[in-house]
Coordinates of all heavy atoms in Angstrom, one line a residue:
E24 N 31.3 72.7 -9.4 CA 30.1 72.0 -9.2 C 29.6 71.5 -10.5 O 29.4 72.4 -11.4 CB 29.1 72.9 -8.5 CG 27.8 72.1 -8.2 CD 26.8 72.9 -7.4 OE1 27.2 73.7 -6.5 OE2 25.6 73.0 -7.8
Y25 N 29.2 70.3 -10.7 CA 28.7 69.7 -11.9 C 27.2 69.9 -11.9 O 26.5 69.5 -11.1 CB 29.1 68.3 -12.0 CG 28.4 67.5 -13.1 CD1 28.9 67.7 -14.4 CD2 27.3 66.7 -12.9 CE1 28.3 67.1 -15.5 CE2 26.7 66.1 -14.0 CZ 27.2 66.2 -15.3 OH 26.6 65.6 -16.4
V26 N 26.8 70.5 -13.0 CA 25.3 70.6 -13.2 C 25.0 69.8 -14.5 O 25.5 70.2 -15.6 CB 24.9 72.1 -13.3 CG1 23.4 72.2 -13.7 CG2 25.3 72.8 -12.1
P27 N 24.2 68.8 -14.3 CA 23.9 68.0 -15.6 C 23.0 68.7 -16.5 O 22.1 69.5 -16.2 CB 23.1 66.8 -15.1 CG 22.6 67.1 -13.8 CD 23.6 68.2 -13.1
G28 N 23.3 68.5 -17.8 CA 22.5 69.2 -18.8 C 21.3 68.3 -19.2 O 21.1 67.2 -18.7
P29 N 20.5 68.8 -20.1 CA 19.4 68.0 -20.6 C 19.8 66.7 -21.3 O 20.8 66.6 -21.9 CB 18.7 68.9 -21.6 CG 19.6 69.9 -22.0 CD 20.6 70.1 -20.9
V30 N 19.1 65.7 -21.0 CA 19.4 64.4 -21.7 C 18.3 64.0 -22.7 O 17.2 64.2 -22.5 CB 19.4 63.3 -20.5 CG1 19.6 61.9 -21.1 CG2 20.4 63.5 -19.4
S31 N 18.8 63.6 -23.8 CA 17.9 63.2 -24.8 C 18.1 61.6 -25.1 O 19.2 61.1 -25.0 CB 18.1 64.0 -26.1 OG 19.3 63.6 -26.7
V32 N 17.0 61.0 -25.3 CA 17.0 59.6 -25.7 C 16.3 59.4 -27.1 O 15.2 59.9 -27.3 CB 16.2 58.8 -24.6 CG1 16.2 57.4 -24.9 CG2 16.8 59.0 -23.2
K33 N 17.1 58.7 -27.9 CA 16.6 58.5 -29.2 C 15.3 57.6 -29.1 O 15.3 56.7 -28.2 CB 17.5 57.9 -30.1 CG 18.7 58.8 -30.5 CD 19.7 58.2 -31.3 CE 20.9 59.1 -31.5 NZ 21.9 58.4 -32.3
E34 N 14.4 57.6 -30.0 CA 13.2 56.8 -30.0 C 13.5 55.4 -29.8 O 12.9 54.7 -29.1 CB 12.2 57.1 -31.1 CG 10.9 56.5 -31.1 CD 10.0 57.0 -30.0 OE1 10.1 58.2 -29.6 OE2 9.2 56.1 -29.5
E35 N 14.4 54.9 -30.6 CA 14.8 53.5 -30.7 C 15.5 53.0 -29.4 O 15.6 51.8 -29.2 CB 15.6 53.1 -31.9 CG 16.8 53.8 -32.1 CD 16.9 55.1 -32.8 OE1 15.8 55.6 -33.1 OE2 18.0 55.6 -33.0
E36 N 16.0 53.9 -28.6 CA 16.6 53.5 -27.4 C 15.7 53.6 -26.2 O 16.1 53.1 -25.1 CB 17.8 54.4 -27.1 CG 18.9 54.4 -28.1 CD 19.9 55.4 -27.9 OE1 19.9 56.2 -26.9 OE2 20.9 55.5 -28.7
K37 N 14.5 54.0 -26.3 CA 13.6 54.0 -25.2 C 13.2 52.5 -24.8 O 13.1 51.6 -25.7 CB 12.3 54.7 -25.6 CG 12.5 56.2 -25.6 CD 11.1 56.9 -25.9 CE 11.3 58.4 -26.0 NZ 10.1 59.1 -26.3
P38 N 13.1 52.2 -23.5 CA 12.8 50.9 -23.1 C 11.4 50.5 -23.5 O 10.5 51.3 -23.6 CB 12.9 50.9 -21.5 CG 12.8 52.4 -21.2 CD 13.3 53.1 -22.4
E39 N 11.3 49.2 -23.8 CA 9.9 48.6 -24.2 C 9.0 48.7 -23.0 O 9.4 48.4 -21.8 CB 10.2 47.2 -24.6 CG 9.0 46.5 -25.2 CD 8.8 46.9 -26.7 OE1 9.8 47.3 -27.3 OE2 7.7 46.9 -27.1
P40 N 7.7 49.2 -23.2 CA 6.8 49.2 -22.1 C 6.5 47.8 -21.7 O 6.5 46.8 -22.5 CB 5.5 49.9 -22.7 CG 5.8 50.0 -24.2 CD 7.2 49.7 -24.5
Y41 N 6.3 47.6 -20.5 CA 6.0 46.3 -20.0 C 4.5 46.1 -19.7 O 3.7 47.1 -19.6 CB 6.7 46.0 -18.6 CG 6.3 47.0 -17.5 CD1 5.3 46.7 -16.6 CD2 7.0 48.2 -17.5 CE1 4.9 47.6 -15.7 CE2 6.7 49.0 -16.4 CZ 5.7 48.7 -15.6 OH 5.3 49.6 -14.6
P42 N 4.0 44.8 -19.7 CA 2.6 44.7 -19.5 C 2.2 44.8 -18.0 O 2.7 44.1 -17.1 CB 2.3 43.2 -19.9 CG 3.7 42.6 -19.7 CD 4.7 43.6 -20.0
A43 N 1.5 46.0 -17.7 CA 1.2 46.3 -16.4 C 0.2 45.3 -15.9 O -0.7 44.9 -16.7 CB 0.7 47.8 -16.2
A44 N 0.3 44.7 -14.6 CA -0.6 43.7 -14.2 C -0.8 43.8 -12.7 O -0.1 44.4 -11.9 CB 0.0 42.4 -14.5
C45 N -2.0 43.2 -12.3 CA -2.4 43.1 -10.9 C -3.5 42.0 -10.8 O -4.1 41.7 -11.8 CB -2.9 44.4 -10.2 SG -4.4 45.0 -10.9
N46 N -3.8 41.5 -9.6 CA -4.9 40.6 -9.5 C -5.8 41.0 -8.4 O -5.4 41.7 -7.4 CB -4.4 39.2 -9.3 CG -3.8 38.9 -8.0 OD1 -2.8 39.5 -7.7 ND2 -4.4 38.0 -7.1
Y47 N -7.0 40.8 -8.4 CA -8.1 41.1 -7.4 C -9.1 40.1 -7.3 O -9.5 39.6 -8.3 CB -8.7 42.5 -7.8 CG -9.7 42.9 -6.8 CD1 -9.2 43.6 -5.7 CD2 -11.0 42.7 -6.9 CE1 -10.1 44.1 -4.7 CE2 -11.9 43.0 -5.9 CZ -11.4 43.8 -4.9 OH -12.3 44.1 -3.9
P48 N -9.5 39.6 -6.2 CA -9.0 40.1 -4.8 C -7.6 39.4 -4.5 O -7.3 38.3 -5.2 CB -10.1 39.6 -3.9 CG -10.7 38.4 -4.5 CD -10.6 38.8 -6.1
N49 N -7.0 39.9 -3.6 CA -5.6 39.3 -3.2 C -5.4 39.8 -1.8 O -5.3 41.0 -1.5 CB -4.5 39.8 -4.1 CG -3.2 39.0 -3.8 OD1 -3.3 37.9 -3.3 ND2 -2.1 39.7 -4.2
P50 N -5.5 38.9 -0.8 CA -5.7 37.4 -0.9 C -7.1 37.0 -1.5 O -8.0 37.8 -1.4 CB -5.5 36.9 0.5 CG -5.4 38.0 1.4 CD -5.3 39.2 0.6
F51 N -7.1 35.8 -1.9 CA -8.4 35.3 -2.5 C -8.6 33.9 -2.0 O -7.8 33.2 -1.4 CB -8.4 35.3 -4.0 CG -7.4 34.3 -4.7 CD1 -7.9 33.2 -5.2 CD2 -6.1 34.6 -4.7 CE1 -7.0 32.2 -5.8 CE2 -5.3 33.7 -5.3 CZ -5.7 32.5 -5.8
N52 N -9.9 33.4 -2.2 CA -10.3 32.2 -1.7 C -10.6 31.2 -2.9 O -9.9 30.3 -3.1 CB -11.6 32.2 -0.8 CG -12.1 30.9 -0.2 OD1 -11.9 29.9 -0.8 ND2 -12.6 30.9 1.0
A53 N -11.6 31.5 -3.6 CA -12.0 30.5 -4.7 C -11.4 30.9 -6.1 O -11.0 30.1 -6.8 CB -13.5 30.5 -4.9
S54 N -11.4 32.2 -6.4 CA -10.8 32.6 -7.7 C -10.3 34.0 -7.5 O -10.7 34.8 -6.7 CB -11.9 32.5 -8.8 OG -13.0 33.4 -8.5
T55 N -9.5 34.4 -8.5 CA -8.9 35.8 -8.5 C -8.9 36.2 -10.1 O -8.7 35.3 -11.0 CB -7.6 35.9 -7.9 OG1 -7.2 37.3 -7.9 CG2 -6.6 35.0 -8.7
T56 N -9.0 37.5 -10.3 CA -9.0 38.0 -11.7 C -7.6 38.7 -11.9 O -7.3 39.6 -11.1 CB -10.1 38.9 -11.9 OG1 -11.4 38.4 -11.7 CG2 -10.1 39.6 -13.3
I57 N -6.9 38.2 -12.9 CA -5.6 38.8 -13.2 C -5.8 39.9 -14.3 O -6.2 39.4 -15.4 CB -4.5 37.8 -13.5 CG1 -4.4 36.8 -12.4 CG2 -3.2 38.4 -14.0 CD1 -3.5 35.6 -12.8
R58 N -5.6 41.0 -14.0 CA -5.8 42.1 -15.1 C -4.4 42.6 -15.5 O -3.5 42.6 -14.9 CB -6.5 43.3 -14.5 CG -7.8 43.1 -14.0 CD -8.6 44.3 -13.6 NE -9.7 44.1 -12.8 CZ -10.9 43.6 -13.2 NH1 -11.0 43.3 -14.4 NH2 -11.8 43.4 -12.3
F59 N -4.3 42.8 -16.9 CA -3.0 43.3 -17.4 C -3.3 44.2 -18.6 O -4.3 44.2 -19.3 CB -2.2 42.0 -17.9 CG -2.9 41.2 -18.9 CD1 -2.5 41.3 -20.3 CD2 -3.7 40.1 -18.5 CE1 -3.2 40.5 -21.2 CE2 -4.2 39.4 -19.5 CZ -4.0 39.5 -20.8
S60 N -2.5 45.1 -18.9 CA -2.5 46.1 -19.9 C -1.3 45.9 -20.7 O -0.2 45.9 -20.3 CB -2.6 47.6 -19.4 OG -3.8 47.7 -18.6
I61 N -1.6 45.9 -22.1 CA -0.5 45.8 -23.0 C -0.6 47.1 -24.1 O -1.7 47.5 -24.3 CB -0.5 44.5 -23.8 CG1 -1.9 44.1 -24.4 CG2 0.0 43.4 -22.8 CD1 -1.8 42.9 -25.2
P62 N 0.5 47.6 -24.5 CA 0.5 48.7 -25.4 C 0.0 48.4 -26.8 O -0.4 49.4 -27.5 CB 2.0 49.2 -25.3 CG 2.7 48.0 -25.1 CD 1.9 47.1 -24.2
R63 N 0.0 47.2 -27.2 CA -0.4 46.9 -28.6 C -0.8 45.4 -28.6 O -0.6 44.7 -27.7 CB 0.8 47.1 -29.6 CG 2.0 46.3 -29.4 CD 3.1 46.6 -30.4 NE 4.3 46.0 -29.9 CZ 5.1 46.6 -29.0 NH1 4.9 47.8 -28.5 NH2 6.3 45.9 -28.7
Q64 N -1.5 45.0 -29.7 CA -1.9 43.7 -29.9 C -0.7 42.7 -29.8 O 0.3 43.0 -30.5 CB -2.7 43.5 -31.1 CG -3.1 42.1 -31.4 CD -4.0 41.9 -32.6 OE1 -4.8 42.8 -32.9 NE2 -3.7 40.9 -33.4
E65 N -0.8 41.7 -29.0 CA 0.3 40.8 -28.7 C -0.1 39.4 -28.5 O -1.2 39.2 -28.0 CB 1.2 41.3 -27.5 CG 1.9 42.4 -27.7 CD 3.3 42.3 -28.4 OE1 3.6 41.3 -28.9 OE2 4.0 43.3 -28.6
K66 N 0.8 38.5 -28.7 CA 0.5 37.1 -28.3 C 0.9 37.1 -26.7 O 1.9 37.4 -26.4 CB 1.4 36.1 -29.0 CG 1.1 34.7 -28.5 CD 1.9 33.7 -29.2 CE 1.7 32.3 -28.7 NZ 2.6 31.3 -29.2
V67 N -0.1 36.6 -25.9 CA 0.1 36.7 -24.5 C 0.0 35.3 -23.9 O -0.8 34.5 -24.3 CB -1.0 37.6 -23.8 CG1 -0.9 37.5 -22.4 CG2 -0.8 39.0 -24.3
T68 N 0.8 35.0 -22.9 CA 0.8 33.8 -22.1 C 0.8 34.1 -20.7 O 1.6 34.9 -20.2 CB 2.0 32.9 -22.4 OG1 2.1 32.6 -23.8 CG2 1.9 31.6 -21.6
V69 N -0.3 33.6 -19.9 CA -0.4 33.8 -18.5 C -0.3 32.5 -17.8 O -1.0 31.5 -18.1 CB -1.7 34.5 -18.1 CG1 -1.8 34.7 -16.7 CG2 -1.9 35.8 -18.9
T70 N 0.8 32.3 -16.9 CA 1.0 31.1 -16.3 C 1.1 31.3 -14.8 O 1.6 32.3 -14.4 CB 2.4 30.5 -16.9 OG1 2.4 30.5 -18.2 CG2 2.6 29.2 -16.2
V71 N 0.7 30.3 -13.9 CA 0.7 30.4 -12.5 C 1.7 29.3 -12.0 O 1.9 28.2 -12.6 CB -0.7 30.0 -12.0 CG1 -0.6 29.9 -10.4 CG2 -1.7 31.0 -12.4
Y72 N 2.7 29.8 -11.1 CA 3.6 28.9 -10.5 C 3.5 28.9 -9.0 O 2.9 29.8 -8.4 CB 5.1 29.5 -10.9 CG 5.3 29.6 -12.3 CD1 5.1 30.7 -13.1 CD2 6.0 28.5 -13.0 CE1 5.3 30.8 -14.5 CE2 6.3 28.5 -14.3 CZ 6.0 29.7 -14.9 OH 6.3 29.8 -16.4
N73 N 4.0 27.8 -8.4 CA 4.0 27.8 -6.9 C 5.4 28.4 -6.4 O 6.2 28.9 -7.2 CB 3.8 26.4 -6.5 CG 4.9 25.4 -6.8 OD1 6.0 25.8 -7.2 ND2 4.6 24.1 -6.9
I74 N 5.6 28.3 -5.1 CA 6.8 29.0 -4.5 C 7.9 28.3 -4.8 O 9.1 28.8 -4.6 CB 6.6 29.2 -3.0 CG1 6.5 27.8 -2.3 CG2 5.4 30.1 -2.7 CD1 6.5 28.0 -0.8
Y75 N 8.0 27.1 -5.4 CA 9.1 26.4 -5.8 C 9.4 26.6 -7.3 O 10.3 26.0 -7.8 CB 8.9 24.8 -5.6 CG 8.6 24.6 -4.1 CD1 7.4 24.1 -3.7 CD2 9.6 24.7 -3.2 CE1 7.1 23.9 -2.4 CE2 9.3 24.5 -1.8 CZ 8.1 24.0 -1.4 OH 7.7 23.8 -0.1
G76 N 8.7 27.4 -7.9 CA 8.9 27.7 -9.3 C 8.3 26.7 -10.3 O 8.6 26.7 -11.4
Q77 N 7.5 25.8 -9.8 CA 6.9 24.7 -10.5 C 5.7 25.2 -11.2 O 4.8 25.9 -10.5 CB 6.6 23.5 -9.7 CG 7.8 22.8 -9.1 CD 7.4 21.9 -8.0 OE1 6.5 22.1 -7.2 NE2 8.2 20.8 -7.9
K78 N 5.4 25.0 -12.4 CA 4.2 25.4 -13.1 C 3.0 24.7 -12.6 O 3.0 23.5 -12.4 CB 4.3 25.1 -14.6 CG 3.1 25.6 -15.4 CD 3.2 25.6 -16.8 CE 3.3 24.2 -17.4 NZ 3.2 24.2 -18.8
V79 N 2.0 25.5 -12.1 CA 0.8 25.0 -11.6 C -0.3 24.8 -12.7 O -0.9 23.9 -12.9 CB 0.2 25.9 -10.6 CG1 -1.2 25.4 -10.1 CG2 1.2 25.9 -9.3
K80 N -0.4 25.9 -13.6 CA -1.3 26.0 -14.6 C -1.0 27.0 -15.7 O -0.7 28.2 -15.4 CB -2.7 26.2 -14.1 CG -3.9 26.0 -15.1 CD -5.2 26.1 -14.3 CE -6.3 25.7 -15.2 NZ -7.6 25.6 -14.6
D81 N -1.2 26.7 -16.9 CA -1.2 27.7 -18.0 C -2.6 28.2 -18.1 O -3.5 27.4 -18.4 CB -0.8 27.1 -19.4 CG 0.7 27.0 -19.5 OD1 1.4 27.8 -19.0 OD2 1.1 26.0 -20.1
L82 N -2.8 29.5 -17.8 CA -4.2 30.0 -17.9 C -4.7 30.3 -19.2 O -5.8 30.0 -19.6 CB -4.3 31.2 -17.0 CG -4.0 31.0 -15.5 CD1 -4.2 32.4 -14.7 CD2 -5.0 30.0 -15.0
V83 N -3.7 30.9 -20.0 CA -4.1 31.3 -21.4 C -2.9 31.5 -22.3 O -1.8 31.9 -21.8 CB -5.0 32.6 -21.4 CG1 -4.2 33.8 -21.0 CG2 -5.7 32.8 -22.7
T84 N -3.1 31.2 -23.5 CA -2.1 31.5 -24.6 C -2.9 31.9 -25.8 O -3.7 31.1 -26.2 CB -1.2 30.3 -24.9 OG1 -0.4 29.9 -23.7 CG2 -0.2 30.7 -26.0
G85 N -2.7 33.2 -26.1 CA -3.5 33.7 -27.3 C -3.2 35.1 -27.6 O -2.5 35.7 -26.8
T86 N -3.8 35.7 -28.7 CA -3.6 37.0 -29.0 C -4.6 37.9 -28.4 O -5.7 37.6 -28.4 CB -3.6 37.2 -30.5 OG1 -2.6 36.3 -31.1 CG2 -3.4 38.6 -31.0
F87 N -4.1 39.0 -27.7 CA -5.0 39.9 -27.0 C -4.9 41.3 -27.7 O -3.8 41.7 -28.2 CB -4.6 40.0 -25.5 CG -5.2 38.8 -24.7 CD1 -4.4 37.6 -24.8 CD2 -6.3 38.8 -24.1 CE1 -4.8 36.5 -24.0 CE2 -6.7 37.8 -23.3 CZ -6.0 36.6 -23.3
P88 N -6.0 42.1 -27.6 CA -5.8 43.5 -28.2 C -5.1 44.4 -27.2 O -5.0 44.1 -26.1 CB -7.3 43.9 -28.3 CG -8.0 43.1 -27.3 CD -7.3 41.7 -27.2
A89 N -4.7 45.4 -27.7 CA -4.0 46.6 -27.0 C -5.1 47.0 -25.9 O -6.3 47.0 -26.1 CB -3.6 47.7 -27.8
G90 N -4.5 47.4 -24.7 CA -5.4 47.9 -23.7 C -5.4 46.9 -22.6 O -4.6 46.1 -22.3
T91 N -6.5 47.0 -21.7 CA -6.7 46.2 -20.5 C -7.4 44.9 -20.8 O -8.5 45.0 -21.5 CB -7.4 47.0 -19.4 OG1 -6.6 48.1 -19.2 CG2 -7.5 46.3 -18.1
N92 N -6.9 43.8 -20.3 CA -7.5 42.5 -20.5 C -7.4 41.8 -19.2 O -6.8 42.2 -18.2 CB -6.7 41.8 -21.6 CG -6.7 42.4 -22.9 OD1 -7.6 42.3 -23.6 ND2 -5.6 43.1 -23.2
H93 N -8.1 40.7 -19.1 CA -8.2 39.9 -17.9 C -8.4 38.5 -18.1 O -8.8 38.1 -19.1 CB -9.3 40.5 -16.9 CG -10.6 40.1 -17.3 ND1 -11.4 40.9 -18.2 CD2 -11.4 39.1 -16.9 CE1 -12.5 40.3 -18.4 NE2 -12.6 39.2 -17.7
V94 N -7.8 37.7 -17.1 CA -7.9 36.2 -17.1 C -8.3 35.9 -15.6 O -7.8 36.4 -14.7 CB -6.6 35.6 -17.4 CG1 -6.6 34.1 -17.3 CG2 -6.1 36.1 -18.8
I95 N -9.2 34.9 -15.5 CA -9.5 34.4 -14.2 C -8.8 33.1 -13.8 O -8.9 32.1 -14.7 CB -11.1 34.3 -14.1 CG1 -11.8 35.7 -14.2 CG2 -11.5 33.6 -12.7 CD1 -13.3 35.5 -14.4
W96 N -8.3 33.0 -12.6 CA -7.7 31.7 -12.2 C -8.7 31.2 -11.2 O -8.9 31.9 -10.0 CB -6.4 31.8 -11.6 CG -5.7 30.5 -11.2 CD1 -5.9 29.3 -11.8 CD2 -5.0 30.3 -10.0 NE1 -5.3 28.4 -11.1 CE2 -4.7 28.9 -9.9 CE3 -4.5 31.1 -8.9 CZ2 -3.9 28.3 -9.0 CZ3 -3.8 30.5 -8.0 CH2 -3.5 29.2 -8.0
D97 N -9.3 30.0 -11.3 CA -10.2 29.4 -10.4 C -9.6 28.6 -9.3 O -10.1 27.7 -8.7 CB -11.3 28.6 -11.1 CG -10.5 27.4 -11.9 OD1 -9.4 27.3 -11.8 OD2 -11.4 26.8 -12.6
S98 N -8.3 28.7 -9.1 CA -7.5 28.1 -8.1 C -7.3 26.5 -8.4 O -7.1 25.9 -7.4 CB -7.8 28.4 -6.7 OG -9.1 27.8 -6.4
T99 N -7.5 26.2 -9.6 CA -7.2 24.8 -9.9 C -5.9 24.5 -10.7 O -5.4 25.5 -11.2 CB -8.4 24.1 -10.7 OG1 -8.4 24.9 -12.0 CG2 -9.7 24.1 -10.1
T100 N -5.4 23.3 -10.6 CA -4.1 23.0 -11.3 C -4.4 22.5 -12.7 O -5.6 22.4 -13.1 CB -3.4 21.9 -10.5 OG1 -4.2 20.7 -10.6 CG2 -3.2 22.2 -9.0
E101 N -3.5 22.1 -13.4 CA -3.6 21.6 -14.7 C -4.4 20.3 -14.7 O -5.1 20.0 -15.6 CB -2.3 21.2 -15.4 CG -1.4 22.5 -15.8 CD -1.8 23.2 -17.0 OE1 -2.8 22.6 -17.7 OE2 -1.2 24.1 -17.4
K102 N -4.3 19.6 -13.6 CA -5.1 18.3 -13.5 C -6.5 18.5 -13.0 O -7.3 17.6 -12.9 CB -4.4 17.4 -12.5 CG -3.0 16.9 -13.0 CD -2.3 16.0 -12.0 CE -0.9 15.6 -12.5 NZ -0.1 14.9 -11.6
G103 N -6.9 19.8 -12.8 CA -8.2 20.1 -12.3 C -8.6 19.9 -10.9 O -9.7 20.1 -10.4
I104 N -7.5 19.7 -10.1 CA -7.8 19.7 -8.6 C -7.4 21.0 -8.0 O -6.7 21.9 -8.5 CB -6.9 18.6 -8.0 CG1 -5.4 18.9 -8.2 CG2 -7.2 17.2 -8.5 CD1 -4.4 18.0 -7.4
H105 N -8.1 21.4 -6.8 CA -7.9 22.6 -6.2 C -6.5 22.8 -5.6 O -6.0 21.8 -4.9 CB -9.0 22.8 -5.0 CG -10.3 23.0 -5.6 ND1 -10.7 24.2 -6.2 CD2 -11.3 22.2 -5.7 CE1 -11.9 24.2 -6.7 NE2 -12.5 23.0 -6.4
A106 N -5.9 23.9 -5.9 CA -4.5 24.1 -5.4 C -4.7 24.3 -3.8 O -5.6 24.8 -3.3 CB -3.9 25.4 -6.0
A107 N -3.6 24.0 -3.1 CA -3.4 24.3 -1.6 C -3.3 25.7 -1.3 O -2.9 26.5 -2.2 CB -2.3 23.5 -1.1
S108 N -3.7 26.1 -0.2 CA -3.5 27.4 0.4 C -2.0 27.8 0.3 O -1.2 26.9 0.5 CB -4.0 27.6 1.8 OG -5.4 27.4 1.9
G109 N -1.6 29.0 -0.1 CA -0.3 29.4 -0.1 C -0.1 30.5 -1.1 O -1.0 31.1 -1.7
L110 N 1.2 30.8 -1.2 CA 1.7 31.9 -2.1 C 1.9 31.3 -3.5 O 2.5 30.3 -3.7 CB 3.0 32.6 -1.6 CG 3.5 33.7 -2.3 CD1 2.5 34.9 -2.2 CD2 4.8 34.1 -1.6
Y111 N 1.4 32.1 -4.5 CA 1.4 31.7 -5.9 C 1.9 33.0 -6.7 O 1.9 34.1 -6.3 CB 0.2 31.1 -6.5 CG -0.2 29.8 -5.9 CD1 -1.0 29.8 -4.8 CD2 0.3 28.6 -6.5 CE1 -1.2 28.5 -4.1 CE2 0.0 27.4 -5.9 CZ -0.8 27.4 -4.8 OH -1.1 26.2 -4.2
F112 N 2.6 32.7 -7.9 CA 3.0 33.8 -8.7 C 2.4 33.6 -10.1 O 2.2 32.5 -10.5 CB 4.6 33.7 -8.9 CG 5.2 33.9 -7.5 CD1 5.7 32.8 -6.7 CD2 5.6 35.1 -7.1 CE1 6.2 32.9 -5.6 CE2 6.2 35.3 -5.8 CZ 6.6 34.2 -5.1
Y113 N 2.1 34.7 -10.7 CA 1.6 34.6 -12.1 C 2.7 35.4 -12.9 O 3.4 36.3 -12.5 CB 0.2 35.2 -12.3 CG 0.2 36.7 -11.9 CD1 0.6 37.7 -12.8 CD2 -0.4 37.0 -10.7 CE1 0.4 39.1 -12.4 CE2 -0.5 38.4 -10.3 CZ -0.1 39.4 -11.2 OH -0.2 40.7 -10.8
R114 N 2.9 34.9 -14.2 CA 3.7 35.4 -15.1 C 3.1 35.8 -16.4 O 2.3 34.9 -16.9 CB 5.0 34.5 -15.4 CG 6.0 35.2 -16.4 CD 7.2 34.4 -16.5 NE 7.5 34.5 -18.0 CZ 8.2 33.6 -18.7 NH1 8.5 32.4 -18.0 NH2 8.4 33.8 -19.9
I115 N 3.1 36.9 -16.8 CA 2.5 37.4 -18.0 C 3.5 37.7 -19.1 O 4.4 38.6 -18.8 CB 1.6 38.6 -17.9 CG1 0.5 38.3 -16.8 CG2 1.0 39.1 -19.1 CD1 -0.3 39.5 -16.3
K116 N 3.5 37.0 -20.1 CA 4.6 37.2 -21.2 C 3.7 37.7 -22.4 O 2.8 37.1 -22.9 CB 5.2 36.0 -21.5 CG 6.3 36.2 -22.5 CD 7.2 34.9 -22.8 CE 8.3 35.4 -23.8 NZ 8.9 34.4 -24.5
A117 N 4.1 38.9 -22.9 CA 3.5 39.5 -24.0 C 4.6 39.9 -25.1 O 5.4 40.8 -24.8 CB 2.7 40.8 -23.6
G118 N 4.6 39.2 -26.1 CA 5.6 39.4 -27.1 C 6.9 39.0 -26.5 O 7.0 37.9 -26.0
N119 N 8.0 39.9 -26.5 CA 9.2 39.5 -25.9 C 9.4 40.2 -24.5 O 10.6 40.2 -24.0 CB 10.4 39.8 -26.8 CG 10.4 41.3 -27.2 OD1 9.6 42.0 -26.9 ND2 11.4 41.6 -28.1
I120 N 8.4 40.7 -23.9 CA 8.5 41.3 -22.6 C 7.6 40.5 -21.6 O 6.6 39.8 -22.0 CB 8.0 42.7 -22.7 CG1 6.7 43.0 -23.3 CG2 9.1 43.6 -23.4 CD1 6.2 44.4 -23.4
S121 N 7.9 40.6 -20.3 CA 7.1 39.9 -19.3 C 7.2 40.6 -18.0 O 8.0 41.5 -17.8 CB 7.6 38.5 -19.2 OG 8.9 38.5 -18.6
T122 N 6.2 40.3 -17.2 CA 6.0 40.8 -15.8 C 5.5 39.7 -14.9 O 5.0 38.6 -15.5 CB 5.2 42.0 -15.8 OG1 5.3 42.7 -14.5 CG2 3.8 41.7 -16.0
A123 N 5.6 39.8 -13.6 CA 5.1 38.8 -12.8 C 4.6 39.5 -11.5 O 4.8 40.7 -11.3 CB 6.2 37.9 -12.3
G124 N 3.8 38.7 -10.8 CA 3.1 39.3 -9.6 C 2.9 38.1 -8.6 O 2.9 37.0 -9.0
K125 N 2.6 38.4 -7.4 CA 2.3 37.4 -6.4 C 0.8 37.4 -5.9 O 0.2 38.5 -5.9 CB 3.3 37.3 -5.3 CG 3.3 38.6 -4.5 CD 4.4 38.6 -3.4 CE 4.4 40.0 -2.8 NZ 5.5 40.0 -1.8
M126 N 0.3 36.3 -5.5 CA -1.1 36.2 -5.0 C -1.1 35.1 -3.9 O -0.4 34.2 -4.0 CB -2.0 35.9 -6.1 CG -1.7 34.8 -7.1 SD -2.7 34.8 -8.6 CE -1.8 33.6 -9.5
L127 N -2.0 35.4 -3.0 CA -2.1 34.5 -1.8 C -3.5 33.9 -1.8 O -4.5 34.5 -1.8 CB -2.0 35.3 -0.6 CG -1.9 34.6 0.8 CD1 -0.9 33.6 0.8 CD2 -1.9 35.5 1.9
L128 N -3.4 32.5 -1.9 CA -4.7 31.7 -1.9 C -4.8 31.2 -0.5 O -4.0 30.7 0.1 CB -4.5 30.5 -2.9 CG -5.6 29.4 -2.7 CD1 -7.0 30.0 -3.2 CD2 -5.2 28.3 -3.8
M129 N -6.0 31.6 0.1 CA -6.4 31.3 1.4 C -7.7 30.5 1.4 O -8.7 31.0 1.1 CB -6.5 32.5 2.3 CG -5.3 33.3 2.4 SD -5.4 34.8 3.4 CE -5.8 34.1 5.0
R130 N -7.6 29.2 1.8 CA -8.9 28.4 1.8 C -9.5 28.4 3.2 O -9.0 28.6 4.1 CB -8.4 27.0 1.4 CG -8.0 26.8 0.0 CD -8.7 25.8 -0.7 NE -8.3 25.7 -2.1 CZ -8.9 26.1 -3.1 NH1 -10.2 26.6 -2.9 NH2 -8.4 26.1 -4.3

């Protein structure tokens, strides 16, 4: 019978922490707040996409401090018009790592 021994991982081999994220409320009507946590100060980009993968709006691009931060999406597109009801995705890119989530806009 095989019994695994202790496993050690060198510090440089540990995976990079990802930016933890969620949005509230979800589903939402007029606006939603996208919260994200990053382990250190990073340049962050938050972008909203539709279900076809088309960019709806760049919410923010800038440097954020370590810890929990937030961005509000007012459900408008880059052109300033209200987005249609449906499923949308946000992507948060912090440094060279990223995460994504889904949100439901109900008008």
